[in-house]
Amino acid sequence: MRAAVIDSFNTPLTVRDVADPQCPPDGVIVSVKACGVCRSDWHAWTGADPDVTAPHVPGHEFAGIVEEVGRDCRRFKRGDRVTAPFILACGQCPDCIGGDPTVCNHQHVVGFSSWGAFAERIAVPRCDFNLVPLPDVIGFTAAAGMGCRVTTSFRAVVDRAKLQPGEWLAIHGAGGVGLSALMIGKALGASVLAIDVNEDALKLARALGATKTLNVSAIDDVGAAVREATHGGAHVSLDALGITATFHSSIRGLRKLGRHVQIGMPLGRHAEPTIPLLELVYSRQISVMGTRGIAASRFPALFEMIAAGHLDPARLVTNTISLEEAGAALEAMNGYTGAGITVIDRF
Ligand SMILES: [Zn+2]
Ligand SMILES: [Zn+2]
């Protein structure tokens, strides 16, 4: 089959023939119809991800059709339209059985633990617990565009922060994740403040229904500006970037008892920021939460939101490309690539 391969880090992907994937006994082979291009693929391509060694095929935001079924897989058959969360949990440990597979100790991460979906086909293990049937109303490109960004935002806003109607949601970083959170926040009846330094991203945020936007490129005290814009502080605030500055702005923009959710992955020097424990956590009683991935069992709720017209992930897909163009799309992530999501839809 054809795949776009990382033969060595930081050099252009090679589109070439590779061996067809073997069907796992507990899994399936999916014929890939669409795959999102995500910043975590870029991290893998630069060599920053310790789990990835070259040669490697990236791609974890896929949707497609089941082509082959392993002997121990019961819930799926040839021809099923499917997608999956990027965390394939074991389904058997106390965390999984307790309903929290995103913290499973035995997780297999598609596109990192094994070769991903920048390819004509992908092997997906552990399917009965993790594979998700895709409703007919949701196209492959939209499903791939949901990728980890819409699903991660859904878990952050709905499952972790438990955002309520009428509350203020502040979003630091109006990229794919941030804009997804915006749409979900609006669907829940919250007021949403989108914050960024890029005017184009904020323009898209307004088009998607942001109640207010805040360009902080020339603002020193972002926390104070957010508290003013939200009449006392956000009830829920998200750091969608994962850098120290946005984390600090996020927790400082909260009102008393507010909830911060860390969505962006804080890498390198951003891994251990300071936190004003006395002022914010103790006295103002804020909560600081993390989030990563989503449980396969939560996809139906997300699909209902889409089918009801409250959320349209297809609006975030601003660019569709061929497999040959995947390498250039990753290289473009060395700089700012705009707010929308790029999806490979030709293989
Ligand atoms: Zn588990
Ligand atoms: Zn992703």
Side-chain angles (χ1 to χ4, degrees):
M1 66 164 183
R2 272 156 39 85
V5 185
I6 300 172
D7 276 312
S8 60
F9 297 124
N10 273 313
T11 58
L13 297 186
T14 323
V15 176
R16 59 180 170 87
D17 277 326
V18 299
D20 275 324
Q22 295 290 310
C23 187
D26 62 351
V28 300
I29 298 293
V30 172
S31 167
V32 181
K33 298 299 173 197
C35 184
V37 181
C38 174
R39 192 152 281 276
S40 356
D41 300 316
W42 177 81
H43 283 303
W45 174 70
T46 60
D49 195 307
D51 292 341
V52 174
T53 51
H56 181 79
V57 176
H60 56 279
E61 307 189 342
F62 69 91
I65 297 173
V66 173
E67 205 169 72
E68 195 182 332
V69 181
R71 61 173 148 61
D72 299 332
C73 174
R74 300 276 174 268
R75 288 182 52 226
F76 294 90
K77 60 180 191 314
R78 265 181 70 97
D80 285 349
R81 302 170 79 252
V82 292
T83 187
F86 65 90
I87 297 171
L88 302 180
C90 80
Q92 291 162 3
C93 70
D95 289 323
C96 285
I97 291 168
D100 294 307
T102 61
V103 292
C104 172
N105 282 336
H106 315 285
Q107 48 190 267
H108 179 111
V109 186
V110 170
F112 300 90
S113 311
S114 60
W115 282 15
F118 284 18
E120 290 178 285
R121 286 181 206 89
I122 181 175
V124 188
R126 302 176 173 180
C127 281
D128 283 348
F129 190 72
N130 294 291
L131 201 62
V132 175
L134 193 60
D136 288 337
V137 293
I138 299 174
F140 292 120
T141 302
M146 277 171 49
C148 61
R149 286 159 280 200
V150 176
T151 55
T152 298
S153 298
F154 183 85
R155 176 166 158 81
V157 172
V158 178
D159 295 347
R160 298 292 282 150
K162 298 188 168 40
L163 181 70
Q164 301 298 309
E167 288 191 321
W168 270 103
L169 170 65
I171 300 169
H172 295 262
V177 170
L179 293 173
S180 306
L182 186 167
M183 291 197 286
I184 292 161
K186 290 300 292 181
L188 294 175
S191 300
V192 180
L193 172 66
I195 303 143
D196 207 292
V197 294
N198 184 285
E199 201 47 48
D200 284 342
L202 294 175
K203 206 166 157 189
L204 189 49
R206 284 190 288 274
L208 292 170
T211 315
K212 288 184 183 176
T213 58
L214 188 60
N215 188 326
V216 294
S217 50
I219 295 179
D220 286 333
D221 190 343
V222 175
V226 170
R227 291 198 303 278
E228 192 187 328
T230 56
H231 317 121
H235 299 83
V236 172
S237 183
L238 312 175
D239 172 10
L241 288 180
I243 59 176
T244 302
T246 45
F247 168 69
H248 280 153
S249 297
S250 178
I251 57 177
R252 290 195 175 279
L254 287 171
R255 70 180 57 205
K256 284 177 271 186
L257 294 165
R259 293 99 76 195
H260 163 87
V261 187
Q262 187 63 37
I263 300 183
M265 186 177 177
L267 287 168
R269 65 193 166 88
H270 302 291
E272 297 184 18
T274 55
I275 179 162
L277 200 57
L278 173 63
E279 182 197 349
L280 295 185
V281 180
Y282 181 81
S283 300
R284 295 177 67 84
Q285 299 184 45
I286 67 161
S287 303
V288 176
M289 291 176 268
T291 199
R292 175 173 172 265
I294 190 173
S297 61
R298 294 297 282 147
F299 274 76
L302 187 50
F303 291 150
E304 284 298 331
M305 209 179 228
I306 295 168
H310 299 312
L311 172 66
D312 184 2
R315 289 185 70 186
L316 292 174
V317 179
T318 47
N319 202 12
T320 55
I321 60 172
S322 68
L323 191 60
E324 280 77 11
E325 295 168 290
L330 282 185
E331 274 171 63
M333 286 185 172
N334 288 331
Y336 177 74
T337 49
I341 290 175
T342 296
V343 172
I344 306 165
D345 67 350
R346 281 152 280 152
F347 290 84

